Amino acid sequence: MSKKIQAIRGMNDLLPEQSPLWQYFEGQVRTLMQRYGYREIRTPIVEQTALFARSIGEVTDIVEKEMYTFDDRNGDSLTLRPEGTAACVRAAMEHGLLYNQTQRLWYQGAMFRHERPQKGRYRQFHQVGIEAYGMDGPDIDLEVILLSARLWKQLGLYEHVTLELNSLGSPEARGAYRERLVDYFEQHQELLDDDARRRLSSNPLRILDSKNPDMAGMLADAPQLLDHLDAESRAHFETLTARLDAAGIGYRINPRLVRGLDYYSRTVFEWTTEALGSQGTVCAGGRYDGLVEQLGGKPTPAVGFAMGVERLILLLETLELVPAESRRGPDAYLLAIGARAEHAAQLLGERLRDALPSLTLQVHCGGGGFKNQIKKADKSGARLALILGDDEIDQGLLGIKFLREQRDQETLDQQAALDRLAALLA
Ligand code: ATP
Ligand code: MG
């Protein structure tokens, strides 16, 4: 026998057992987006490498070591998208969506990063994200946070997540702060680990992100960005926090929240949970007013977030918040007992589906006796078994057997059975 080919490490199959939970999650997301007036955008999975290098930043983890980059047959450097924002900006600019107008967009799909696979961290994973363009005030920042908070509430997750909030200020203020921070780190050279030393010249703010316990004390005493904000960013941040207070959305100001991507400015936030170990960030976002211009467009304020779908699904499972509906089988499983029933059952199945548009029905295929078929009906998770054999065909009847309730089997005229089904489903 030849060796079986397996999936690529860190890239998961979504099996039919699991897809109902994903569909439930995706359904909640889709309706929520509609309710807030966000419209879906779909962009290709592959983009020119330069798009990500120029937007995410050359000295970020993603661009330095996580991208799936390859040469196309004609020599162009292409990359599997590691995140959704850059492509969204690219597409919005390319199709004139940012011209003299505001936009509220959302997307979902697979992203690719070459990381060390572990629970909650994969090489192909899925994000749902939103991006709002053309609005520079704290009102839209609040909306983006309110939308995410509503999703947690709908999913039953709200008590299990914490909103962490910070402001990165204007690029100028951040530049000045960066110099102070580098000074401070240089005074504590001996406490820096290798990663921090490497970042000192390239991306010193990221050092604040470090989870190394040996640096914790030194980092706690480091100068804080929030103390060095420009006046406008400060006012923006204060308005946002006051409005969150008024909306009853709790948050924790985390002065060391800096986000991994270069393009952020002012508001940044993360929703985190304790329930998933170290992969605890389920949603991350903020304002990125500089990105559109950086990619060659007119200056356009922007704010958005991306959530990690695998982590949210894991969280729902861990907290046992998987709704029963997402585990349910079809309403009914139609048995076809005997040679004539095989075809008759399929015709009847079509009639039932015509008459009852909400009916979910699986019609038995593949022959076999009653015992074998009723076993399959049970395994399908169906509530009802519908029984069609030679006798039923001759007399125009249909049997209805309750698979999950203590109730007697009913055998009815086919038209009456249809009405009965309608009543049972209602
Ligand atoms: P982390 O610090 O966990 O690496 P990140 O800052 O790289 O996260 P973002 O680029 O902000 O993550 O992506 C937004 C969200 O997407 C994350 O909060 C997380 O929920 C999810 N995510 C990011 N990378 C992965 C991955 N490799 N596997 C699964 N989910 C991921
Ligand atoms: Mg990462």
Side-chain angles (χ1 to χ4, degrees):
M1 233 170 44
S2 58
K3 195 163 177 275
K4 287 194 188 117
I5 296 172
Q6 299 204 314
I8 295 166
R9 198 164 114 82
M11 304 204 177
N12 301 317
D13 298 307
L14 177 64
L15 299 178
E17 289 292 303
Q18 271 242 307
S19 56
L21 178 54
W22 280 67
Q23 287 168 355
Y24 157 73
F25 175 81
E26 290 161 1
Q28 295 276 323
V29 165
R30 184 170 301 121
T31 337
L32 183 75
M33 296 302 174
Q34 276 165 357
R35 292 186 67 198
Y36 278 81
Y38 284 69
R39 299 183 303 154
E40 187 180 6
I41 182 164
R42 300 188 188 188
T43 62
I45 282 176
V46 187
E47 296 274 354
Q48 293 193 36
T49 303
L51 176 66
F52 303 115
R54 266 170 66 188
S55 59
I56 299 170
E58 298 281 359
V59 289
T60 54
D61 284 351
I62 294 183
V63 175
E64 274 183 342
K65 51 188 192 209
E66 295 176 357
M67 294 204 305
Y68 279 90
T69 297
F70 59 96
D71 283 345
D72 197 358
R73 287 179 191 277
N74 59 12
D76 295 341
S77 180
L78 305 183
T79 295
L80 301 187
R81 62 184 183 194
E83 54 99 56
T85 300
C88 198
V89 169
R90 195 240 348 112
M93 282 176 8
E94 196 167 323
H95 302 284
L97 304 189
L98 304 180
Y99 191 72
N100 278 341
Q101 57 193 317
T102 60
Q103 284 290 347
R104 286 178 170 84
L105 305 175
W106 75 279
Y107 62 84
Q108 63 178 339
M111 307 294 159
F112 302 82
R113 297 184 195 176
H114 198 277
E115 305 197 65
R116 192 170 68 77
Q118 51 197 293
K119 190 178 162 200
R121 191 177 292 286
Y122 311 101
R123 291 182 172 173
Q124 175 177 320
F125 62 100
H126 296 78
Q127 288 184 336
V128 165
I130 71 176
E131 316 288 358
Y133 299 108
M135 294 159 273
D136 62 5
D139 50 354
I140 187 70
D141 298 18
L142 179 70
E143 176 176 287
V144 160
I145 293 173
L146 288 174
L147 181 153
S148 53
R150 184 175 295 276
L151 182 63
W152 314 143
K153 286 176 189 166
Q154 286 179 8
L155 296 170
L157 292 176
Y158 189 65
E159 296 90 81
H160 305 280
V161 291
T162 305
L163 175 61
E164 301 195 26
L165 203 60
N166 193 18
S167 175
L168 299 182
S170 66
E172 297 73 33
R174 196 157 69 246
Y177 166 73
R178 185 184 149 124
E179 282 176 25
R180 281 169 161 269
L181 192 64
V182 170
D183 281 350
Y184 175 83
F185 286 144
E186 279 173 345
Q187 285 158 30
H188 297 85
Q189 278 278 1
E190 72 290 354
L191 294 172
L192 298 180
D193 61 14
D194 288 348
D195 229 22
R197 286 218 178 86
R198 197 170 51 82
R199 283 178 167 151
L200 192 54
S201 55
S202 61
N203 199 349
L205 266 68
R206 272 312 291 274
I207 299 175
L208 295 172
D209 231 5
S210 167
K211 304 204 166 64
N212 182 348
D214 297 339
M215 301 205 306
M218 183 270 294
L219 290 178
D221 294 337
Q224 297 194 349
L225 187 46
L226 273 182
D227 297 330
H228 297 88
L229 290 186
D230 52 296
E232 278 180 34
S233 295
R234 168 157 304 286
H236 185 105
F237 191 63
E238 281 168 2
T239 307
L240 175 61
T241 51
R243 290 181 186 176
L244 284 168
D245 291 336
I249 304 285
Y251 55 87
R252 194 171 76 83
I253 292 178
N254 176 357
R256 279 163 53 188
L257 182 67
V258 291
R259 307 285 308 118
L261 315 184
D262 268 0
Y263 50 57
Y264 286 100
S265 56
R266 290 198 177 161
T267 313
V268 288
F269 66 89
E270 287 191 359
W271 289 95
T272 59
T273 175
E274 310 262 282
L276 291 181
S278 53
Q279 267 57 254
T281 302
V282 293
C283 176
R287 189 163 265 292
Y288 53 98
D289 293 340
L291 182 60
V292 176
E293 193 178 11
Q294 195 177 314
L295 288 174
K298 281 211 287 193
T300 306
V303 55
F305 66 61
M307 51 180 82
V309 180
E310 280 81 357
R311 290 187 194 177
L312 287 161
I313 298 280
L314 259 172
L315 191 55
L316 290 171
E317 288 171 337
T318 307
L319 300 170
E320 297 181 6
L321 292 169
V322 178
E325 309 96 86
S326 76
R327 290 222 177 93
R328 231 178 27 203
D331 296 322
Y333 188 103
L334 175 51
L335 278 59
I337 317 289
R340 278 194 294 147
E342 183 175 305
H343 187 205
Q346 278 184 312
L347 294 179
L348 178 62
E350 288 307 294
R351 261 178 60 207
L352 294 175
R353 292 185 182 109
D354 286 342
L356 305 169
S358 74
L359 172 72
T360 57
L361 171 71
Q362 200 168 321
V363 176
H364 182 83
C365 286
F370 178 82
K371 252 191 159 165
N372 162 302
Q373 294 195 25
I374 198 82
K375 240 192 218 163
K376 292 213 165 96
D378 188 46
K379 202 169 161 225
S380 77
R383 178 179 170 207
L384 307 170
L386 307 179
I387 301 163
L388 189 71
D390 288 345
D391 288 352
E392 284 82 6
I393 296 174
D394 290 338
Q395 299 170 49
L397 301 175
L398 183 67
I400 302 181
K401 186 174 162 65
F402 295 85
L403 297 174
R404 321 278 153 205
E405 294 144 273
Q406 290 293 345
R407 281 206 206 178
D408 290 339
Q409 181 172 329
E410 300 172 17
T411 300
L412 302 168
D413 171 84
Q414 283 183 6
Q415 184 55 49
L418 212 152
D419 296 338
R420 183 79 179 108
L421 274 178
L424 285 167
L425 294 178

